[in-house]
mmCIF file of all heavy atoms in Angstrom:
data_model
loop_
_atom_site.group_PDB
_atom_site.id
_atom_site.type_symbol
_atom_site.label_atom_id
_atom_site.label_comp_id
_atom_site.label_asym_id
_atom_site.label_seq_id
_atom_site.Cartn_x
_atom_site.Cartn_y
_atom_site.Cartn_z
ATOM 1 N N TRP G 28 -31.375 14.928 -19.032
ATOM 2 C CA TRP G 28 -29.922 14.798 -19.012
ATOM 3 C C TRP G 28 -29.454 13.521 -19.684
ATOM 4 O O TRP G 28 -28.460 13.496 -20.384
ATOM 5 C CB TRP G 28 -29.446 14.774 -17.563
ATOM 6 C CG TRP G 28 -29.048 16.119 -17.101
ATOM 7 C CD1 TRP G 28 -28.979 17.253 -17.844
ATOM 8 C CD2 TRP G 28 -28.672 16.482 -15.785
ATOM 9 N NE1 TRP G 28 -28.586 18.295 -17.068
ATOM 10 C CE2 TRP G 28 -28.395 17.853 -15.809
ATOM 11 C CE3 TRP G 28 -28.537 15.771 -14.582
ATOM 12 C CZ2 TRP G 28 -27.985 18.544 -14.672
ATOM 13 C CZ3 TRP G 28 -28.142 16.452 -13.466
ATOM 14 C CH2 TRP G 28 -27.868 17.825 -13.503
ATOM 15 N N ALA G 29 -30.217 12.451 -19.421
ATOM 16 C CA ALA G 29 -29.799 11.156 -19.927
ATOM 17 C C ALA G 29 -29.725 11.193 -21.451
ATOM 18 O O ALA G 29 -28.874 10.550 -22.049
ATOM 19 C CB ALA G 29 -30.769 10.078 -19.463
ATOM 20 N N GLN G 30 -30.663 11.998 -22.037
ATOM 21 C CA GLN G 30 -30.624 12.069 -23.491
ATOM 22 C C GLN G 30 -29.444 12.895 -23.976
ATOM 23 O O GLN G 30 -28.903 12.657 -25.036
ATOM 24 C CB GLN G 30 -31.932 12.679 -24.000
ATOM 25 C CG GLN G 30 -33.085 11.679 -23.936
ATOM 26 C CD GLN G 30 -34.402 12.367 -23.710
ATOM 27 O OE1 GLN G 30 -34.551 13.549 -23.981
ATOM 28 N NE2 GLN G 30 -35.365 11.615 -23.202
ATOM 29 N N MET G 31 -29.066 13.871 -23.145
ATOM 30 C CA MET G 31 -27.873 14.630 -23.516
ATOM 31 C C MET G 31 -26.649 13.816 -23.127
ATOM 32 O O MET G 31 -26.739 12.640 -22.829
ATOM 33 C CB MET G 31 -27.886 15.966 -22.776
ATOM 34 C CG MET G 31 -28.934 16.908 -23.300
ATOM 35 S SD MET G 31 -28.712 18.551 -22.652
ATOM 36 C CE MET G 31 -28.640 18.308 -20.906
ATOM 37 N N ASP G 32 -25.545 14.480 -23.041
ATOM 38 C CA ASP G 32 -24.329 13.781 -22.693
ATOM 39 C C ASP G 32 -24.234 13.622 -21.189
ATOM 40 O O ASP G 32 -24.144 14.603 -20.473
ATOM 41 C CB ASP G 32 -23.153 14.618 -23.214
ATOM 42 C CG ASP G 32 -22.020 13.725 -23.606
ATOM 43 O OD1 ASP G 32 -22.223 12.498 -23.584
ATOM 44 O OD2 ASP G 32 -20.964 14.264 -23.925
ATOM 45 N N ARG G 33 -24.310 12.392 -20.728
ATOM 46 C CA ARG G 33 -24.176 12.187 -19.284
ATOM 47 C C ARG G 33 -22.732 12.398 -18.869
ATOM 48 O O ARG G 33 -21.815 12.051 -19.602
ATOM 49 C CB ARG G 33 -24.582 10.756 -18.944
ATOM 50 C CG ARG G 33 -25.932 10.666 -18.294
ATOM 51 C CD ARG G 33 -26.190 9.249 -17.857
ATOM 52 N NE ARG G 33 -25.220 8.809 -16.858
ATOM 53 C CZ ARG G 33 -25.109 7.553 -16.467
ATOM 54 N NH1 ARG G 33 -25.860 6.629 -16.990
ATOM 55 N NH2 ARG G 33 -24.234 7.219 -15.548
ATOM 56 N N PRO G 34 -22.495 12.953 -17.685
ATOM 57 C CA PRO G 34 -21.105 13.082 -17.265
ATOM 58 C C PRO G 34 -20.489 11.717 -16.956
ATOM 59 O O PRO G 34 -21.201 10.771 -16.629
ATOM 60 C CB PRO G 34 -21.194 13.938 -15.999
ATOM 61 C CG PRO G 34 -22.596 13.833 -15.541
ATOM 62 C CD PRO G 34 -23.437 13.516 -16.737
ATOM 63 N N VAL G 35 -19.187 11.647 -17.122
ATOM 64 C CA VAL G 35 -18.471 10.421 -16.766
ATOM 65 C C VAL G 35 -18.176 10.487 -15.265
ATOM 66 O O VAL G 35 -17.855 11.543 -14.739
ATOM 67 C CB VAL G 35 -17.143 10.337 -17.542
ATOM 68 C CG1 VAL G 35 -16.398 9.069 -17.174
ATOM 69 C CG2 VAL G 35 -17.403 10.419 -19.027
ATOM 70 N N THR G 36 -18.320 9.368 -14.588
ATOM 71 C CA THR G 36 -17.997 9.348 -13.161
ATOM 72 C C THR G 36 -16.771 8.471 -12.930
ATOM 73 O O THR G 36 -16.733 7.331 -13.367
ATOM 74 C CB THR G 36 -19.177 8.765 -12.360
ATOM 75 O OG1 THR G 36 -20.328 9.523 -12.662
ATOM 76 C CG2 THR G 36 -18.896 8.826 -10.876
ATOM 77 N N ILE G 37 -15.774 9.054 -12.280
ATOM 78 C CA ILE G 37 -14.660 8.227 -11.818
ATOM 79 C C ILE G 37 -14.909 7.931 -10.355
ATOM 80 O O ILE G 37 -14.972 8.843 -9.529
ATOM 81 C CB ILE G 37 -13.300 8.950 -11.975
ATOM 82 C CG1 ILE G 37 -13.003 9.222 -13.450
ATOM 83 C CG2 ILE G 37 -12.183 8.120 -11.355
ATOM 84 C CD1 ILE G 37 -11.646 9.863 -13.682
ATOM 85 N N VAL G 38 -15.110 6.656 -10.035
ATOM 86 C CA VAL G 38 -15.318 6.284 -8.642
ATOM 87 C C VAL G 38 -13.961 6.118 -7.975
ATOM 88 O O VAL G 38 -13.099 5.384 -8.459
ATOM 89 C CB VAL G 38 -16.129 4.975 -8.537
ATOM 90 C CG1 VAL G 38 -16.212 4.505 -7.091
ATOM 91 C CG2 VAL G 38 -17.519 5.184 -9.113
ATOM 92 N N VAL G 39 -13.761 6.870 -6.889
ATOM 93 C CA VAL G 39 -12.541 6.722 -6.103
ATOM 94 C C VAL G 39 -12.918 5.953 -4.842
ATOM 95 O O VAL G 39 -13.727 6.430 -4.055
ATOM 96 C CB VAL G 39 -11.957 8.103 -5.734
ATOM 97 C CG1 VAL G 39 -10.842 7.970 -4.715
ATOM 98 C CG2 VAL G 39 -11.470 8.818 -6.977
ATOM 99 N N PRO G 40 -12.387 4.733 -4.664
ATOM 100 C CA PRO G 40 -12.850 3.920 -3.538
ATOM 101 C C PRO G 40 -12.212 4.302 -2.205
ATOM 102 O O PRO G 40 -12.132 3.481 -1.301
ATOM 103 C CB PRO G 40 -12.468 2.498 -3.954
ATOM 104 C CG PRO G 40 -11.305 2.675 -4.849
ATOM 105 C CD PRO G 40 -11.452 4.015 -5.513
ATOM 106 N N TYR G 41 -11.735 5.534 -2.079
ATOM 107 C CA TYR G 41 -11.146 5.989 -0.820
ATOM 108 C C TYR G 41 -11.756 7.320 -0.425
ATOM 109 O O TYR G 41 -12.408 7.981 -1.236
ATOM 110 C CB TYR G 41 -9.625 6.122 -0.953
ATOM 111 C CG TYR G 41 -8.946 4.792 -1.124
ATOM 112 C CD1 TYR G 41 -8.716 4.270 -2.394
ATOM 113 C CD2 TYR G 41 -8.577 4.042 -0.013
ATOM 114 C CE1 TYR G 41 -8.127 3.030 -2.553
ATOM 115 C CE2 TYR G 41 -7.987 2.805 -0.168
ATOM 116 C CZ TYR G 41 -7.761 2.308 -1.440
ATOM 117 O OH TYR G 41 -7.183 1.075 -1.588
ATOM 118 N N ALA G 42 -11.505 7.733 0.813
ATOM 119 C CA ALA G 42 -12.092 8.961 1.336
ATOM 120 C C ALA G 42 -11.446 10.173 0.678
ATOM 121 O O ALA G 42 -10.306 10.110 0.218
ATOM 122 C CB ALA G 42 -11.898 9.018 2.846
ATOM 123 N N PRO G 43 -12.189 11.294 0.649
ATOM 124 C CA PRO G 43 -11.610 12.523 0.120
ATOM 125 C C PRO G 43 -10.333 12.870 0.881
ATOM 126 O O PRO G 43 -10.265 12.696 2.094
ATOM 127 C CB PRO G 43 -12.682 13.573 0.414
ATOM 128 C CG PRO G 43 -13.936 12.831 0.577
ATOM 129 C CD PRO G 43 -13.579 11.487 1.094
ATOM 130 N N GLY G 44 -9.331 13.334 0.146
ATOM 131 C CA GLY G 44 -8.084 13.714 0.788
ATOM 132 C C GLY G 44 -7.004 12.654 0.680
ATOM 133 O O GLY G 44 -5.834 12.929 0.899
ATOM 134 N N ALA G 45 -7.387 11.413 0.335
ATOM 135 C CA ALA G 45 -6.393 10.354 0.163
ATOM 136 C C ALA G 45 -5.620 10.581 -1.140
ATOM 137 O O ALA G 45 -6.062 11.338 -2.000
ATOM 138 C CB ALA G 45 -7.077 8.995 0.140
ATOM 139 N N THR G 46 -4.458 9.914 -1.279
ATOM 140 C CA THR G 46 -3.677 10.056 -2.508
ATOM 141 C C THR G 46 -4.519 9.735 -3.726
ATOM 142 O O THR G 46 -4.477 10.417 -4.744
ATOM 143 C CB THR G 46 -2.449 9.120 -2.474
ATOM 144 O OG1 THR G 46 -1.782 9.314 -1.238
ATOM 145 C CG2 THR G 46 -1.511 9.393 -3.612
ATOM 146 N N SER G 47 -5.323 8.669 -3.587
ATOM 147 C CA SER G 47 -6.205 8.237 -4.664
ATOM 148 C C SER G 47 -7.170 9.339 -5.070
ATOM 149 O O SER G 47 -7.437 9.563 -6.243
ATOM 150 C CB SER G 47 -7.078 7.120 -4.129
ATOM 151 O OG SER G 47 -6.833 5.957 -4.718
ATOM 152 N N ASP G 48 -7.701 9.990 -4.067
ATOM 153 C CA ASP G 48 -8.678 11.044 -4.298
ATOM 154 C C ASP G 48 -8.034 12.179 -5.086
ATOM 155 O O ASP G 48 -8.576 12.685 -6.059
ATOM 156 C CB ASP G 48 -9.186 11.538 -2.941
ATOM 157 C CG ASP G 48 -10.175 12.679 -3.067
ATOM 158 O OD1 ASP G 48 -11.149 12.506 -3.802
ATOM 159 O OD2 ASP G 48 -9.939 13.723 -2.458
ATOM 160 N N LEU G 49 -6.832 12.523 -4.650
ATOM 161 C CA LEU G 49 -6.099 13.607 -5.301
ATOM 162 C C LEU G 49 -5.840 13.259 -6.767
ATOM 163 O O LEU G 49 -6.079 14.063 -7.674
ATOM 164 C CB LEU G 49 -4.776 13.794 -4.562
ATOM 165 C CG LEU G 49 -3.990 15.029 -4.920
ATOM 166 C CD1 LEU G 49 -4.755 16.250 -4.471
ATOM 167 C CD2 LEU G 49 -2.640 14.987 -4.240
ATOM 168 N N LEU G 50 -5.379 12.017 -6.992
ATOM 169 C CA LEU G 50 -5.123 11.566 -8.364
ATOM 170 C C LEU G 50 -6.393 11.634 -9.198
ATOM 171 O O LEU G 50 -6.376 12.127 -10.330
ATOM 172 C CB LEU G 50 -4.644 10.116 -8.345
ATOM 173 C CG LEU G 50 -3.150 9.862 -8.321
ATOM 174 C CD1 LEU G 50 -2.897 8.369 -8.414
ATOM 175 C CD2 LEU G 50 -2.482 10.569 -9.488
#
Side-chain angles (χ1 to χ4, degrees):
Chain G
W28 265 355
Q30 284 150 22
M31 289 191 307
D32 212 7
R33 255 186 62 190
V35 180
T36 304
I37 297 183
V38 174
V39 170
Y41 292 91
T46 310
S47 246
D48 178 53
L49 191 67
L50 266 184

